[in-house]
Amino acid sequence: MQYQATHLVVMGVAGSGKSTIAAALSRQLGWACAEADEFHPRSNISKMTQGIPLEDGDRWPWLQEIQDWMTTQAAAGTSTVLTCSALKQTYRELLSGADGRVLFIHLDGGAELISQRMQGREGHFMPPTLLPSQLATLEPLTTGELAAGSLRLDIALPPQEIVAAVIAALGVPANAATSSS
């Protein structure tokens, strides 16, 4: 039986817990995992490090790289979990063009909680000063995206509850194979 590769894009503003949730989902499901930050060109990282918000022109090539990676994984029969801010619907539309089923897991929460989390993390190039621009850019999941299986989850929930909710919504057992001979 052949399964269609599924891509879970764990999305939200910086500090929402994307890396934590994506890593836990990857472990639970046994799916490949990638951080969208790894796809950024140096010029984007330099801008963000300096506290300069990215513009759409900075994001399109980055998003295309991510979409290409998902398509390559799908061609190999591999389902994935990926962190990506995916703040605008147009960004999500581009990512949805990858081969396989693409679902968005929006980690949503209040600015105060996210700001607290950002203040406490170390070694990340995204400074807390960029949070207001990310919140202003964020376009919530549409009714159509939610109807297609994407989820909006509150970051105030413990990570294990968020992961359990995603796995339950997927209807797949942990460590489910993406393809079978």
Side-chain angles (χ1 to χ4, degrees):
M1 180 176 175
Q2 185 73 20
Y3 295 94
Q4 179 183 27
T6 297
H7 307 289
L8 298 179
V9 180
V10 182
M11 62 165 282
V13 298
S16 60
K18 296 182 296 290
S19 296
T20 299
I21 299 304
L25 283 166
S26 175
R27 279 192 305 277
Q28 289 283 321
L29 294 167
W31 293 1
C33 189
E35 292 273 346
D37 288 344
E38 296 169 6
F39 295 86
H40 273 299
R42 278 204 145 331
S43 58
N44 285 6
I45 293 171
S46 177
K47 276 186 168 183
M48 290 183 284
T49 301
Q50 296 172 51
I52 301 169
L54 297 180
E55 298 174 7
D56 282 351
D58 301 314
R59 289 189 178 102
W60 291 120
W62 168 66
L63 292 165
Q64 187 62 57
E65 286 285 325
I66 295 166
Q67 183 206 54
D68 292 347
W69 179 81
M70 290 190 300
T71 292
T72 299
Q73 296 301 309
T78 303
S79 287
T80 68
V81 180
L82 173 76
T83 66
C84 181
S85 53
L87 298 176
K88 291 185 177 181
Q89 182 183 0
T90 55
Y91 304 165
R92 297 189 298 270
E93 287 171 358
L94 187 146
L95 294 172
S96 292
D99 290 349
R101 181 178 183 212
V102 180
L103 299 173
F104 296 92
I105 310 302
H106 179 192
L107 301 180
D108 194 18
E112 186 175 317
L113 176 57
I114 293 170
S115 180
Q116 288 172 357
R117 288 181 175 188
M118 289 182 81
Q119 302 286 339
R121 69 183 185 176
E122 296 177 9
H124 198 280
F125 59 80
M126 176 72 83
T129 56
L130 287 180
L131 179 59
S133 73
Q134 288 217 322
L135 290 168
T137 302
L138 177 64
E139 296 173 0
L141 292 172
T142 65
T143 303
E145 289 171 318
L146 292 167
S150 292
L151 302 170
R152 181 199 159 276
L153 298 166
D154 188 342
I155 64 168
L157 293 171
Q160 63 271 20
E161 286 185 32
I162 293 172
V163 169
V166 172
I167 291 173
L170 283 174
V172 298
N175 294 310
T178 56
S179 62
S180 177
S181 299

